[in-house]
Amino acid sequence: MAASSSNAEQTQLQDMEEEDAGMEEREMESDDDDEEEEEEERMGVENSEDDEEDDSSEDEKENEAEIQRLEEQLSINAFDYNCHVDLIKLLKQEGELVRLRKARQKMSELFPLTEEIWLDWLKDEIRLTEEEPNREKVYELFERGVKDYICPDIWLEYAQYSIGGMGSPGGIEKVRSIFERAMTAVGLHMTKGQTVWEAYREFENAILSTVQPPPGRIPSREEQELLNTQLERIHTLFRRQLAIPLMDMEATYAEYEEWSEQGVADTVVHQYKKALQQMEKCKALEESLLAAEPPKLAEYQTYIDYELKEGDPARVQITFERALAENCLVPDMWTKYNTYLDRQLKIKDLVLSTHERAVRNCPWTMGLWKSYLLALERHGADHQTVSDVFEKALNAGFIQATDYVEIWQAYLDYLRRRVDFSKESSKELEELRGSFARSLDYMKQDVEERFGESGDPSCIIMQIWARIEALHCKNMQKARELWDNIMTKGNAKYANMWLEYYNLERSYGDPVHCRKALHRAVQCTSDYPEHVCEVLLTFERVEGALEDWDVAVQKTETRLNRVNEQRAKVAEKEANLARQEGDRAEQRRKARADKKGQKKAQKGFRAGEKRKAEQDDYQDEWNEDSAPKRHRGNGDQTAEEYMETETGLFGRNAPPGYKPAPPGVKKAQQAAAQKQNDDKPELRSDNSSVFISNLAYTLEEPEAKLRTLFETCGPIQQVRPIFSNKGSFKGYCYVQFESLASVPEALKLDRREVEGRPMFVSPCVDKNKNPDFKVFKYNTSIEKHKIFISGLPFSCTKEQLEEISKHYGTIKDVRLVTYRSGKPKGLAYVEFADEAQASQAVLKMDGMEVEENKISVAISNPPRRNMMDKPGSSRLTTDMMPRQMYGSRGRGRTQLSLLPRSLHRQSAPVSKVENGTAAERVPATASAAANAAGDAKPLSNSDFARMILNK
């Protein structure tokens, strides 16, 4: 038993050991699995991190490639404004601070920066210099920023940044000086000036808290003086602010009452009430600015006119600055501001800085450069400064050749005023002569190469040079050389040029050269030879001898005889041309008449053959369907024929896609059309209806489709699609609404595509009552805010064109011009927010390639719309002729007029008809003979039916 029990224990121990071993193996396996899973997770994390790094590296490579492309583009054209902006955005995104600073620097040298760009730049520089003790770089940047535009936010940022340096020696005084400059610049800003005033007061209140003694301690005399001085500063700020009209100034007055322990003085109350009254006057103008959409040019113009009338220079200046901050690319606004400063304020620093800002904003405007040069001379700028500004003007890129002539004239005038002509020679005189010579070379080379013309066909610059040499320098030899050069440039045929030269010789030359000039003028002048001859004879009467008189008479007679012969030849040639043109017109008229006669004979023959071939069909139609067709012709159909709009109907030609209905379906369509017209009562109201045209003839279920399309405009009373006598849809219809208010909404759907064709929607007007009514929704005069584009590829979409144009301004509308079938013409109109943006788009987009097509861009100036001048306009009058001319059934297929419509005489009496039969019956043989003679009456349906049945 003991042995068996020990064996059992051993066996049990062995089993337990085996179980423990198995457990250890399983735990080791699970540990291995966990380690493998952890390893896989670590590998996954590393892989995801690698993927993210790969993605970020790819983005960095793409951005770097784009940065390099933009830098290359700027190296080619440094004046690409949008390219500068895109480069700055990318560099900021990549964190390239050094390159970002350089990019901003380059852009600021070429363009004035907007408020947003300046604030971003300033904030970045402030963060970069937080660890640097030197704050002067940021101060210099602020000084540049406040010069571009008068922006309250930049001044506020400048003042707040300066507060951070108030602990340095003189820091508090520096802050106060910056705040005072800000008050001068933007303190009068009606809506934003208050924030700067409040910041200034908060700063002074903070200073006040540092000089106030702690409670319970009596201040010393010095401390009391400091305290009183600081309190007086705050009182002064309140008084100054309350004397200025600002928005929400009532709250400032309430704050002053609460703060002041001594109350508000009567003088302050009086000034406050006066400012409040002024603010109430300007409140309507400020509200119009708030309600208007940018750039608010008209509203600002009204505001400026009001302030000019009031006459406060400071308020005029701040109003101009506010307007220019939002209209910086409007040259006329800068011109008006500069003119005001030149004539009224005459403050050198203010005037010159404003002129400089003007040419930086609108460098393409010659007038701004010209006024800048005059302002520099007026305020005594040094010669080098004036010369540098002139050189910048030459590189500004004017848009006309004549602009370069004018800017050269302005500079040469300046140089002439510098010369002391009492001296025989001087450095200034040599510079003047050298500049005259350089201007002529510049016109001949640079300007002619760019524009194809010199811009100075009358040689104005050379004339001025010749007069200066003759008058001031007493150098007639040089003056004569210059005039000879003028005459060789195509001016010798003009009498006025010779008379200018003659007057120069009379004033500063001698009689010998006067006589030579007049003799040459007689030989060369072609526009007014009689006048030149008369001047020569008058000159010889006063100063010439008998021999001189005889020579003058002989030359003038010879010249005038030759001129008269030439004029006679020209008149004879013109008469021959006119006679030939008349002969050709007569031949064309005869050819057209012969062709019309042939067509008339062919139509008569074909009509007889057709009637004979279709005898059975017409017999059935005549006998069975005449009554309902008469009803349809006398009822709705006649009224609908007169219901047209300016867009017109299709005439006799079916639009593309028209397919006649199969013969088996015709009668069913006719019955459906008849039922549709009979079921609807005549409750027509033109005022609440619109006319729909240019629909496809193949449009299925037009009533249902148009009802669905126009339901969004308002409740619909009825939709009346127009069908032919055979039941086929005619491509137009009428939609009548329950309310008049729905019509304007429906008109907005004009040109909406319906199954590939533009649908025309126009007002419903009875042309009988309003025969001259026309509707044309687009302008027919010049539209300076809209551009016209031609040469577009037919595949260009509205979205693509909008994407191309949006880089040059705010897009208000894009319209692609199409045919009636919906196919594009390759033309488009793009409407911008203002004229400046449209002008910029013309300059940038003209000649651009779009899908390998070179486009032409110009300011929209459509031709005046005149329907009567068009060759096909006669159709409008013929379509409006009364239906009784064709019988009660209308112009059916069984009725032919052998006389062309253009030869119908509306004043001739029209015979009355009844049931399609002429009141006066004409025998078939007689009518046939009359038709052959060419003056027969049109045959009626009954005549044709009788002719066919009698054969």
Side-chain angles (χ1 to χ4, degrees), residues 655-693:
Y658 171 70
K659 295 179 182 179
V665 188
K666 287 183 179 179
K667 290 192 176 182
Q669 290 179 337
Q670 291 174 10
Q674 176 64 29
K675 182 177 184 303
Q676 183 186 45
N677 288 335
D678 292 344
D679 290 344
K680 293 180 180 177
E682 188 62 28
L683 298 175
R684 180 172 305 166
S685 173
D686 294 345
N687 293 334
S688 60
S689 302
V690 292
F691 176 72
I692 317 297
S693 60

Side-chain angles (χ1 to χ4, degrees), residues 564 573 850:
N564 291 330
K573 185 177 180 181
V850 178

Side-chain angles (χ1 to χ4, degrees), residues 607-631:
E609 292 295 325
K610 186 174 181 181
R611 296 300 180 271
K612 185 175 180 180
E614 298 180 355
Q615 178 178 358
D616 295 337
D617 290 342
Y618 287 125
Q619 183 68 28
D620 294 340
E621 182 179 346
W622 183 266
N623 294 330
E624 297 176 8
D625 297 337
S626 59
K629 286 181 180 177
R630 263 199 317 275
H631 171 73

Side-chain angles (χ1 to χ4, degrees), residues 141 146 424 461 509 523 578 644 700 726 796 863 912:
L141 197 61
V146 296
E424 292 186 1
I461 293 178
Q523 296 297 324
E644 276 191 327
E700 297 179 358
K726 300 177 184 179
C796 182
K912 296 182 180 179

Side-chain angles (χ1 to χ4, degrees), residues 646 767 771-774 864-880 906:
E646 178 273 336
K767 280 295 185 73
D772 298 327
F773 180 79
K774 287 183 175 65
R864 191 170 296 279
R865 186 175 177 86
N866 189 357
M867 296 297 295
M868 298 307 296
D869 293 342
K870 297 184 179 180
S873 62
S874 60
R875 184 179 68 82
L876 295 176
T877 57
T878 56
D879 285 346
M880 295 295 293
Q906 292 189 9

